[in-house]
Amino acid sequence: MLKINCSVSVKDKKILDNVSLSVKPGTIHVVMGPNGAGKSTLSHAVMGDDRYTVEGSIKMDGDELTSLPMDERARKGLFMSFQYPVEIPGLSMKKFLRAAYKSVHGDITVMDFKKVYDTASKSLGVHTKYVNDGASGGQKKRNEMLQLKVLNPKYALLDETDSGLDVDALKVVAQTVKDAVQDGCGVLLVTHYLKFLEYLQPDDVTVIVNGRVVEQGDIKLAQKIEVEGYSGY
Amino acid sequence: MIHDVKYGQGLSFDYSWIDSVECDEATYNVDTEHSERMIEQDLLADKHPLFSKIIVDSDKEIIVDGSLASLHVVANKDCTIIIRHTGKFTSLRLHCDVNQCTVNLVVIQKGERCVQYKTVDCKGTINIYDCLDQEWSQCYNDVNLLSENASSVQKTSTIGAYANVYTRVYHHVSGTNSIMSSRSAVSNELVYRGHIYIPEQVSAVSHQDCDIILLNDDSKAVALPILDVTSQDVECSHGASISTFDETVVRYMSSRGVNQHAQKILLIQSIKEWGMLP
Amino acid sequence: MNRELYDKADDHTPKFVSKPGITESLVRFISNQKNEPGWMLQKRLQGFELFKKTSVPTWGPDLSGLDLNKIVYYTDPNTKETQNWDDLPQEIRDTFDKLGIPEAEKNLFMGVGAQYDSNVVYHNLHESLKKQGVIFENMDVAVQKYPNLVKKYFMTQCIPVNDHKFIMLHAAVWSGGTFIYVPKNVKVSLPLQAYFRMNQKDGGQFEHTLIILDEGAELEYIEGCSSPRYQQSSLHAGCVELIVMPGAKMCYTSIENWSKNVYNLNTKRAIVHKDARVEWVNGNMGSTRTMLYPTSVLIGEGASSESVGIAFAGEGQDQDTGSKVIHAASNTKSVIIAKSISKTGCSSYRGLVKVMPSAKNVSSTVQCDALLMDGGQTKTYPYMQVAQKDVKVSHEATVSRVNDDQVRYLQSRGLSEDDARKYIVSGFVEPIVRSMPFEYAVELNKLIELEVTGL
């Protein structure tokens, strides 16, 4: 279980106030909220971005994460799909992912890794040479999903992974998330569109407005938001 | 107080390394040295009058008569300043202080030979639009960005026969940004130099580009865009190109029935207009 | 792998070490030792006269730490040139073994030469090439054996004696180096290699490389350089002349990994004839000051040139490198790609693209990228001089640093910060490394890793 119970601030400015939620393995927990509610801050803070100060506790399967650097958290099985993946020209995706795979799962031979990588990239229809170099927004998101598939984490934070995608890409991304969940991965999905949820069946829904949790519930809550919006909070 | 800037500091730039290659063919040199010597003499003689100070609070057109002029313009409010300088041989020294405002600066010189040295101490935003369309012209710009958020745009369009352009920007403090952009159509000879200087500990964003189009068979051009970066926290790039007309442009214009001569004229006009666009 | 492999001095006692400083009698002595013909002595003396009159160039990096009166200009190692590694004195043999040269010869090259201080100690060429008329000789020997070729091309049309201060010096005291002649239409399938080792304290190395490719010939040549680290500075002022005849193809790769107190003031130039091609691949890792601008003079129609380079500037290093191209004929093409990493040191790109009035339909692209780390410094001086309108000349440059977002991204995938930086840097140099022969690419990658992660 990924248990989040914390406040987050940037340069003494509080962004999230006493946010408390948990993600069970093999389930999808959706975090919704209007622009500027602090949703992206949540996923960055949980991943361990050092620009954010966290007070409180973030526990993964009983282990306290708050004092750990980003890479440690990744090695423990945490993953984040970035809203704006960076480009690294010249660094090959395969080489980079093998290095990541090795640090998360231990050594793997080039040949064995090639099999894992090729299967994943084929199923996603991704053929990228360098890390996101020159890729479109949609391609970058597919690349993120490729990494999710290959690294096979225990918990995944998906930060607006659905934004800017066309229907086909949306389906591919949704399928990848479903597969991961079936394999027991707990997913924290940050979004402010309901459309994506048509493809996924979230188990829990949390609504954040102005840095505070205003309501928690199940899929029905999301449907309510779809009709009423956030203005009621 | 006029910032301590020596006009054309770059005069001391040493070109000797360029000529360390001998070639079978007669070595070809653009005569930068000659024109620079001229300026040097001009400076040594220092025939320019003393700087006359003008404080500008709103849009203003300044008419300058006579060959040699020195102006010190102080701008405290957002404004557009147009300076018209006419004479047979015009040489203008201009120093401009920009204090917490946005200034658009346009200098229009008329005459057979035109020289302008401009220095700007900028604590705001300065946009310089230079259009060198004289037979023979030289343009030296030094921009000092002195306060956080100071920014500069230097747009230089050159369509004269002989031109020597040297634009520089010095990022004194962090949080400054600059753009230098130059487009030229050269019928005879052009020397373009651009210089970006970002010292240690200064974080800045700076871009520079320069496109030169050669019009005639005997047109010559030299481009030397310099980057001088000691700071780590920068985003900096430059590019330069020298070529003849873009083929696709030529094809497009031809398909509309425009002949070669008219194409040249259109191109020159487009560059001139580009230079005046904000 | 560590820096010590290159930096540690060997315990070799040379046969002869000249007194520091240069005099006319030393110049005559060197010529006499080599039993040279009169014209070569004249060339040396001419160089020496010009050298005395010329001042040290001031437009580039600061050379004030170089005291030309303290340099030992000639050091004769205590051995004869051989074709068998086993004949070498043990300590010299050990050095080359450690550097992996004899091992590489077996697998990768068709010929290897090795120079130790002023003289070549080992030279060998594959039998099959000898039969095809390929000449691969010590430059000193070539002066004796092939006087006609040498006299015609040695510091005449490609790099004349009066070119610049350090070429004048080179002409006066040059010693050793490589002479290669590849006959018409002979294509050498595997590369030839030369390794230059400078061991003498305060020493200078002035090897001369002259390569002539006859019409339609092809050759790949690789040179590696290293030296131990002493307190005082040493000087390397080599000279490389390539004559690439019509239709020939030459690829010249060099990895210069001098220790960090060497002044590497090197000159490399190629004369490229009709439809011929030259490729320069350069890695500059070591030395305190580097001034090196491999030059292609494209004098024949359809000639082309490509130059790729990577420079690394660490603490106290000033890497002033770049590339020059002279387009002196129509339909010529050139490409220059230069990358530099400045980690506390300074690296400059200084390049020249010159298009002669008579050269039509010329295209040239220059791309240089600088990566800054830990307070490094970078300068870019791309000079373009065009006297012909029928051209496409372009230049692009960027300056960037190792981006915190990139590091964070990699860290989020479980890489340590150091590893993240390493990967980003290796991604930055990847396009250059890709164009190198495999073994060298591996070595270069390791060297960069070594430098980036700190010694």
Side-chain angles (χ1 to χ4, degrees):
Chain A
M1 182 110 82
L2 180 66
K3 277 190 168 173
I4 301 162
N5 203 332
C6 64
S7 298
V8 180
S9 48
V10 177
K11 288 181 189 165
D12 298 324
K13 195 187 164 209
K14 204 162 235 180
I15 312 262
L16 291 175
D17 194 359
N18 272 323
V19 170
S20 173
L21 56 92
S22 55
V23 183
K24 294 184 276 295
T27 68
I28 299 174
H29 190 139
V30 174
V31 174
M32 300 180 79
N35 283 330
K39 305 185 302 293
S40 282
T41 302
L42 179 68
S43 44
H44 276 93
V46 173
M47 193 63 222
D49 190 327
D50 55 15
R51 286 172 297 190
Y52 299 95
T53 319
V54 175
E55 281 169 77
S57 135
I58 300 167
K59 277 188 176 170
M60 189 168 100
D61 297 337
D63 289 352
E64 182 57 54
L65 298 182
T66 34
S67 61
L68 296 180
M70 227 179 193
D71 46 333
E72 279 290 325
R73 297 185 198 200
R75 262 172 256 157
K76 282 188 178 293
L78 195 60
F79 176 88
M80 173 168 166
S81 163
F82 283 65
Q83 189 179 1
Y84 303 112
V86 292
E87 303 183 8
I88 307 172
L91 174 57
S92 100
M93 179 65 106
K94 202 182 281 181
K95 189 176 167 188
F96 156 52
L97 257 188
R98 181 169 168 243
Y101 189 94
K102 275 164 79 175
S103 68
V104 176
H105 296 291
D107 212 346
I108 183 168
T109 64
V110 177
M111 286 316 291
D112 287 350
F113 183 75
K114 190 176 180 297
K115 276 181 217 149
V116 175
Y117 181 88
D118 287 352
T119 326
S121 58
K122 201 177 269 174
S123 75
L124 285 165
V126 174
H127 21 77
T128 178
K129 188 161 163 46
Y130 297 131
V131 179
N132 294 328
D133 190 19
S136 70
Q139 285 168 326
K140 283 181 186 170
K141 293 291 166 66
R142 283 179 195 238
N143 289 344
E144 293 292 283
M145 289 301 107
L146 168 68
Q147 298 180 31
L148 172 69
K149 226 179 169 76
V150 169
L151 294 177
N152 193 19
K154 288 189 191 130
Y155 295 94
L157 314 164
L158 308 183
D159 187 7
E160 309 256 17
T161 302
D162 52 337
S163 66
L165 291 184
D166 58 41
V167 181
D168 290 339
L170 209 57
K171 279 181 186 159
V172 171
V173 169
Q175 191 55 48
T176 313
V177 175
K178 272 187 197 163
D179 290 349
V181 171
Q182 230 152 42
D183 286 353
C185 179
V187 171
L188 182 78
L189 177 67
V190 172
T191 182
H192 61 269
Y193 296 115
L194 195 70
K195 210 173 149 201
F196 192 46
L197 303 180
E198 291 169 15
Y199 298 97
L200 299 166
Q201 285 301 313
D203 302 87
D204 303 289
V205 176
T206 295
V207 180
I208 296 180
V209 177
N210 288 330
R212 287 169 186 271
V213 174
V214 291
E215 197 167 355
Q216 288 185 310
D218 54 15
I219 182 77
K220 286 188 195 115
L221 175 55
Q223 283 154 354
K224 189 185 110 185
I225 300 267
E226 169 79 339
V227 181
E228 300 178 7
Y230 299 105
S231 52
Y233 295 104
Chain B
M1 171 55 203
I2 285 174
H3 200 77
D4 182 27
V5 173
K6 287 171 191 68
Y7 294 104
Q9 272 169 349
L11 296 180
S12 61
F13 190 85
D14 192 332
Y15 288 95
S16 52
W17 59 275
I18 288 152
D19 295 322
S20 66
V21 172
E22 294 296 327
C23 229
D24 286 350
E25 213 165 323
T27 326
Y28 150 71
N29 272 315
V30 171
D31 197 0
T32 46
E33 265 179 40
H34 172 70
S35 39
E36 279 176 1
R37 224 176 293 128
M38 259 195 59
I39 289 164
E40 223 163 347
Q41 281 165 2
D42 184 21
L43 282 175
L44 286 175
D46 205 11
K47 291 174 194 147
H48 281 85
L50 291 172
F51 279 92
S52 41
K53 192 167 174 176
I54 302 171
I55 294 174
V56 182
D57 286 322
S58 58
D59 291 357
K60 195 170 177 100
E61 195 166 331
I62 301 167
I63 314 277
V64 183
D65 222 357
S67 281
L68 304 172
S70 303
L71 289 179
H72 178 190
V73 175
V74 180
N76 299 315
K77 293 212 175 96
D78 291 1
C79 60
T80 298
I81 303 168
I82 299 172
I83 297 170
R84 291 182 193 280
H85 189 187
T86 47
K88 187 164 188 268
F89 166 70
T90 51
S91 173
L92 176 70
R93 293 196 301 177
L94 173 69
H95 181 80
C96 184
D97 285 324
V98 178
N99 298 323
Q100 272 89 39
C101 60
T102 301
V103 173
N104 300 317
L105 179 65
V106 181
V107 175
I108 299 164
Q109 276 183 308
K110 294 279 177 235
E112 279 171 27
R113 297 195 158 206
C114 303
V115 186
Q116 42 181 289
Y117 317 101
K118 299 200 277 296
T119 56
V120 179
D121 284 356
C122 181
K123 292 178 188 145
T125 303
I126 179 82
N127 301 316
I128 304 177
Y129 305 101
D130 287 320
C131 181
L132 310 176
D133 59 353
Q134 301 308 309
E135 174 74 13
W136 188 100
S137 52
Q138 308 226 18
C139 176
Y140 295 82
N141 289 355
D142 272 305
V143 173
N144 296 293
L145 298 175
L146 298 168
S147 72
E148 202 182 333
N149 296 328
S151 73
S152 72
V153 173
Q154 298 185 53
K155 269 182 137 185
T156 314
S157 56
T158 313
I159 50 182
Y162 294 88
N164 190 349
V165 180
Y166 192 3
T167 57
R168 305 197 305 169
V169 63
Y170 192 126
H171 291 258
H172 290 266
V173 295
S174 290
T176 47
N177 62 71
S178 67
I179 295 173
M180 264 188 237
S181 199
S182 160
R183 280 182 71 188
S184 326
V186 186
S187 53
N188 288 33
E189 208 169 312
L190 170 73
V191 177
Y192 170 82
R193 280 171 291 169
H195 197 148
I196 296 169
Y197 184 60
I198 306 175
E200 245 168 285
Q201 314 272 317
V202 170
S203 78
V205 178
S206 184
H207 295 285
Q208 185 265 340
D209 65 77
C210 154
D211 286 320
I212 299 172
I213 292 170
L214 301 176
L215 294 174
N216 300 333
D217 286 335
D218 55 353
S219 304
K220 295 169 183 176
V222 167
L224 178 55
I226 298 172
L227 286 179
D228 198 337
V229 180
T230 314
S231 163
Q232 241 202 96
D233 194 11
V234 291
E235 192 188 315
C236 198
S237 68
H238 73 183
S241 71
I242 306 176
S243 61
T244 183
F245 283 108
D246 186 346
E247 285 165 26
T248 51
V249 174
V250 169
R251 223 172 285 133
Y252 182 78
M253 285 186 172
S254 304
S255 79
R256 299 282 183 272
V258 180
N259 67 27
Q260 234 182 350
H261 180 69
Q263 283 178 17
K264 262 187 205 178
I265 292 167
L266 284 175
L267 183 89
I268 288 170
Q269 281 173 352
S270 76
I271 287 176
K272 201 170 173 177
E273 268 174 43
W274 168 88
M276 286 298 152
L277 285 176
Chain C
M1 167 119 184
N2 58 40
R3 185 90 226 174
E4 208 171 283
L5 173 68
Y6 302 100
D7 280 357
K8 198 168 170 287
D10 324 323
D11 296 327
H12 176 71
T13 316
K15 187 166 85 185
F16 171 82
V17 181
S18 75
K19 283 203 195 98
I22 178 170
T23 57
E24 187 179 323
S25 60
L26 175 70
V27 175
R28 285 179 184 278
F29 173 82
I30 295 172
S31 184
N32 194 27
Q33 280 284 306
K34 298 178 186 297
N35 201 15
E36 282 172 358
W39 60 267
M40 185 54 88
L41 175 63
Q42 282 318 309
K43 202 158 229 166
R44 285 179 184 275
L45 292 173
Q46 187 198 350
F48 180 60
E49 280 309 310
L50 288 164
F51 169 76
K52 281 194 292 186
K53 279 186 242 160
T54 312
S55 52
V56 174
T58 52
W59 43 261
D62 176 21
L63 300 178
S64 59
L66 174 68
D67 188 343
L68 288 169
N69 294 320
K70 284 198 177 142
I71 298 290
V72 172
Y73 288 91
Y74 186 68
T75 309
D76 193 356
N78 194 9
T79 177
K80 283 217 151 36
E81 187 188 324
T82 172
Q83 295 190 358
N84 187 343
W85 289 107
D86 293 335
D87 293 347
L88 289 177
Q90 195 58 41
E91 63 283 1
I92 295 184
R93 168 78 211 245
D94 285 349
T95 303
F96 286 115
D97 270 345
K98 264 188 275 173
L99 295 165
I101 313 298
E103 190 55 37
E105 181 183 4
K106 277 183 230 152
N107 309 321
L108 301 167
F109 303 117
M110 295 203 77
V112 165
Q115 176 157 349
Y116 199 83
D117 286 327
S118 295
N119 284 336
V120 175
V121 293
Y122 174 87
H123 233 270
N124 193 22
L125 181 69
H126 202 272
E127 275 304 322
S128 65
L129 291 182
K130 282 187 200 160
K131 277 187 200 134
Q132 291 180 74
V134 175
I135 300 169
F136 181 44
E137 274 293 358
N138 173 351
M139 195 67 229
D140 292 320
V141 174
V143 173
Q144 313 288 343
K145 269 169 91 171
Y146 312 100
N148 291 341
L149 273 176
V150 175
K151 197 171 176 181
K152 184 170 174 195
Y153 291 111
F154 189 96
M155 300 191 86
T156 52
Q157 46 169 271
C158 187
I159 305 180
V161 176
N162 63 1
D163 205 70
H164 61 81
K165 173 93 173 169
F166 294 99
I167 272 304
M168 298 163 190
L169 176 66
H170 173 93
V173 297
W174 76 270
S175 180
T178 309
F179 174 79
I180 296 174
Y181 172 79
V182 184
K184 269 185 196 171
N185 298 321
V186 171
K187 293 177 173 54
V188 180
S189 56
L190 282 169
L192 301 182
Q193 193 208 28
Y195 202 93
F196 298 97
R197 174 78 179 169
M198 187 155 60
N199 193 53
Q200 176 60 38
K201 199 177 154 201
D202 313 327
Q205 196 168 51
F206 307 93
E207 85 286 353
H208 194 99
T209 303
L210 173 58
I211 299 177
I212 302 161
L213 297 197
D214 216 327
E215 288 173 32
E218 282 179 22
L219 173 69
E220 195 177 334
Y221 180 78
I222 297 171
E223 104 190 332
C225 318
S226 72
S227 65
R229 186 166 198 165
Y230 292 111
Q231 286 301 312
Q232 278 99 355
S233 326
S234 338
L235 171 64
H236 174 250
C239 177
V240 174
E241 297 181 285
L242 310 181
I243 314 291
V244 189
M245 292 300 198
K249 218 179 129 186
M250 170 87 215
C251 178
Y252 196 101
T253 302
S254 71
I255 308 287
E256 306 203 26
N257 185 30
W258 303 105
S259 78
K260 289 182 182 168
N261 59 346
V262 171
Y263 283 79
N264 183 22
L265 312 174
N266 214 346
T267 309
K268 296 179 176 176
R269 199 172 300 162
I271 303 284
V272 191
H273 290 263
K274 191 171 187 296
D275 297 325
R277 177 173 175 80
V278 68
E279 289 170 18
W280 298 101
V281 181
N282 271 283
N284 288 290
M285 301 293 125
S287 62
T288 174
R289 301 283 182 275
T290 299
M291 287 169 85
L292 175 58
Y293 323 99
T295 305
S296 303
V297 187
L298 308 175
I299 62 166
E301 270 196 39
S304 65
S305 134
E306 182 175 322
S307 170
V308 295
I310 172 82
F312 181 92
E315 182 77 48
Q317 288 182 282
D318 193 340
Q319 302 279 16
D320 204 90
T321 59
S323 199
K324 298 185 195 178
V325 184
I326 318 286
H327 291 267
S330 295
N331 304 319
T332 48
K333 281 191 176 63
S334 66
V335 175
I336 298 171
I337 301 168
K339 297 221 174 205
S340 68
I341 302 166
S342 310
K343 192 194 178 194
T344 67
C346 174
S347 58
S348 308
Y349 171 81
R350 202 183 289 273
L352 169 68
V353 173
K354 190 165 174 172
V355 181
M356 296 297 193
S358 61
K360 292 197 171 187
N361 190 23
V362 163
S363 89
S364 166
T365 54
V366 179
Q367 167 77 43
C368 45
D369 298 314
L371 187 69
L372 295 174
M373 300 173 77
D374 305 343
Q377 193 178 348
T378 183
K379 292 173 182 178
T380 312
Y381 307 98
Y383 195 93
M384 287 167 273
Q385 194 176 11
V386 177
Q388 162 62 244
K389 78 162 185 173
D390 195 8
V391 297
K392 272 199 179 114
V393 176
S394 73
H395 167 91
E396 269 179 55
T398 61
V399 175
S400 59
R401 67 196 158 113
V402 174
N403 186 314
D404 287 344
D405 286 342
Q406 292 177 330
V407 173
R408 223 173 271 128
Y409 186 71
L410 296 193
Q411 274 184 288
S412 83
R413 299 293 186 255
L415 268 58
S416 72
E417 189 176 337
D418 276 355
D419 280 352
R421 284 179 190 281
K422 217 166 66 187
Y423 274 111
I424 291 163
V425 172
S426 75
F428 175 76
V429 300
E430 208 262 357
I432 307 284
V433 171
R434 201 172 39 199
S435 60
M436 290 186 172
F438 179 71
E439 301 285 315
Y440 274 75
V442 172
E443 183 184 339
L444 189 78
N445 254 336
K446 280 184 183 159
L447 279 170
I448 288 169
E449 228 168 74
L450 198 69
E451 301 286 2
V452 168
T453 50
L455 301 176

